[in-house]
Amino acid sequence: MMNGTILVLALAMFGCCNGYASGPPLSVCRNMTPKHPFEPQTIPSPFTFTLNVTTYRPGDVIEVFLNSSGDWFMEGTLIQMRVNSSGCRQDVPAVGTFSTVDNDVFLEEFSCFNMTASALRHYSHLHIYNRTFYWTAPKRSVGNVYISATIVRNLKTFWLNVTSHIIEAEEACGAKQVVFTSAVLFVSYFATRILT
């Protein structure tokens, strides 16, 4: 009887502290802190973000590379694009939408703050060294933004607030995405021809 009780207690303790195999829950969207019974790392993160641009306009699609240095792998992550303190005031911290490459075996879109694909999270515990994904800017400018992530190597080893460089907005706060239709381009072309 005593051995059975010890086994049940050991399994219960393991179950409470084993992380989320299917990715982080909605409850961590705001503070992005795993519910692990350990403190986050204080040494610099071996993971970095590289983006293919330094500025954006409303509606732009930006390619992002998440890389590790050396032999560091990750088993979990939560990624959002957040507004810099000098950016526009927002009701929620996450802005824009994310997408992954087709058939990604690690990342999936995640809907924080009731906003579709406003984050990315892991859905498997593979050992991953790098990832490529995409962020689409909102249709209205939100000011300067940056990627903020929590990256988990294992239950005991994880980093909070792993960030990218600042991506500067080319448009003022609230400026809308400009969409040129073929009719507008046609009229503009002939107006230019007539005036020259």
Side-chain angles (χ1 to χ4, degrees), residues 23-26 28-34 45 47-51 62-67 74-83 93-101 104 106-113 115-123 128-136 145-152 159-164 167:
L26 287 170
V28 301
C29 281
R30 190 165 294 276
N31 67 15
M32 301 179 74
T33 303
S45 165
F47 301 95
T48 57
F49 290 100
T50 305
L51 292 82
I62 296 173
E63 187 174 46
V64 182
F65 304 97
L66 170 55
N67 306 297
M74 67 187 118
E75 286 188 348
T77 189
L78 177 61
I79 301 168
Q80 296 176 6
M81 187 68 80
R82 295 210 163 186
V83 177
V95 293
T97 56
F98 286 93
S99 56
T100 62
V101 297
D104 193 296
F106 182 68
L107 292 175
E108 67 179 359
E109 292 89 6
F110 187 47
S111 298
C112 284
F113 312 109
M115 298 175 0
T116 302
S118 58
L120 289 176
R121 70 174 180 179
H122 70 278
Y123 71 93
I128 298 296
Y129 294 88
N130 53 66
R131 258 344 286 131
T132 299
F133 56 88
Y134 302 91
W135 177 73
T136 302
V145 296
Y146 65 96
I147 289 179
S148 181
T150 296
I151 299 180
V152 177
W159 290 265
L160 301 179
N161 202 30
V162 179
T163 61
S164 70
I167 307 153

Side-chain angles (χ1 to χ4, degrees), residues 32-34 36-47 72-73 149-162:
M32 301 179 74
T33 303
H36 295 187
F38 299 96
E39 293 297 314
Q41 294 295 300
T42 56
I43 61 171
S45 165
F47 301 95
W72 289 93
F73 61 82
T150 296
I151 299 180
V152 177
R153 180 179 172 98
N154 55 40
L155 186 65
K156 293 182 180 181
T157 308
F158 60 95
W159 290 265
L160 301 179
N161 202 30
V162 179

Side-chain angles (χ1 to χ4, degrees), residues 2 8 13 24 26 33 38 47 52 68 73-74 81 85 146 169 181-182 193-195:
M2 184 66 141
V8 168
M13 287 177 61
L26 287 170
T33 303
F38 299 96
F47 301 95
N52 67 341
S68 66
F73 61 82
M74 67 187 118
M81 187 68 80
S85 59
Y146 65 96
T181 64
S182 55
R193 299 283 292 175
I194 292 169
L195 294 173

